[in-house]
């Protein structure tokens, strides 16, 4: 049975990225004369940054994790990761790592698989996700703690 788990998204992080992209332009637009506001260089830069921000937003909003039979498939926007065999997963743990990964949230879990494999993801419902993996491979060490 195939089950799709959406990723949790930290919208604060997305806003922070937006500010990093566009805050330097606000000084240029508000402190220079009217003539420079419509400079083709500024308009081109704004267009380029809007396209770049749209791509980043697409990655954030179109990240999900699919459990398909005995495989974990990870899709991050237009990027597909190599499937992970669930029987090779050894451990699931909460993590605060900020390493680049298909996890657009600060609420992340780390999955260890094989001898040295590791990936950080952020499913919206991490406990159901972990339980689904455990149903397929009960040998996974589950280090997630659920506070209710």
């Amino acid at each position: 049975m195939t089950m799709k788990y959406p990723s949790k998204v930290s919208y604060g992080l997305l806003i922070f990225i937006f500010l990093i992209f566009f805050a330097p332009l606000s000084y240029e637009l508000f402190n220079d004369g009217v003539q420079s506001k419509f400079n083709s260089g500024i308009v081109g830069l704004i267009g380029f940054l809007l396209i770049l921000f749209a791509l980043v937003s697409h990655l954030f909003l179109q990240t999900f994790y699919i459990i398909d039979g005995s495989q974990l498939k990870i899709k991050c926007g237009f990027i597909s990761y190599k499937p992970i065999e669930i029987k090779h997963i050894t451990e699931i743990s909460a993590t605060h790592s900020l390493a680049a990964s298909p996890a657009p949230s600060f609420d992340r879990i780390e999955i260890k698989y094989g001898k040295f494999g590791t990936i950080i993801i952020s499913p919206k419902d991490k406990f159901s996700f972990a339980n689904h993996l455990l149903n397929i491979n009960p040998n996974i060490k589950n280090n997630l703690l659920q506070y209710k």
Side-chain angles (χ1 to χ4, degrees):
M1 181 173 116
T2 301
M3 183 73 173
K4 183 176 177 180
Y5 291 89
S7 179
K8 189 172 189 176
V9 176
S10 290
Y11 291 101
L13 181 58
L14 198 55
I15 291 168
F16 177 74
I17 292 170
F18 178 85
L19 292 175
I20 294 292
F21 280 14
F22 295 101
L25 290 176
S26 65
Y27 177 81
E28 181 76 26
L29 291 174
F30 293 119
N31 290 327
D32 285 350
V34 173
Q35 293 173 344
S36 68
K37 286 185 184 177
F38 298 104
N39 181 338
S40 64
I42 294 293
V43 171
L45 181 60
I46 290 171
F48 172 75
L49 290 176
L50 283 172
I51 291 169
L52 192 59
F53 185 72
L55 289 172
V56 170
S57 297
H58 177 70
L59 291 175
F60 265 62
L61 301 174
Q62 293 299 313
T63 297
F64 50 88
Y65 318 105
I66 300 169
I67 297 177
D68 185 11
S70 65
Q71 291 186 327
L72 170 60
K73 298 177 180 178
I74 300 170
K75 184 101 166 108
C76 182
F78 46 83
I79 301 167
S80 292
Y81 287 74
K82 182 180 175 184
I84 298 168
E85 289 294 328
I86 296 172
K87 67 182 177 185
H88 295 146
I89 295 176
T90 57
E91 188 175 349
I92 302 171
S93 304
T95 184
H96 298 291
S97 172
L98 296 178
S101 64
S105 172
F106 292 122
D107 187 14
R108 299 169 157 203
I109 61 174
E110 178 180 31
I111 295 179
K112 293 181 181 177
Y113 59 95
K115 211 168 197 178
F116 302 109
T118 183
I119 191 155
I120 297 171
I121 61 174
S122 61
K124 190 179 281 188
D125 186 355
K126 61 186 174 185
F127 300 107
S128 293
F129 178 81
N131 285 333
H132 193 164
L133 292 176
L134 284 165
N135 285 338
I136 297 168
N137 178 1
N139 297 321
I140 296 172
K141 182 178 179 187
N142 186 359
N143 295 325
L144 294 179
L145 297 176
Q146 186 169 8
Y147 298 101
K148 286 192 174 187

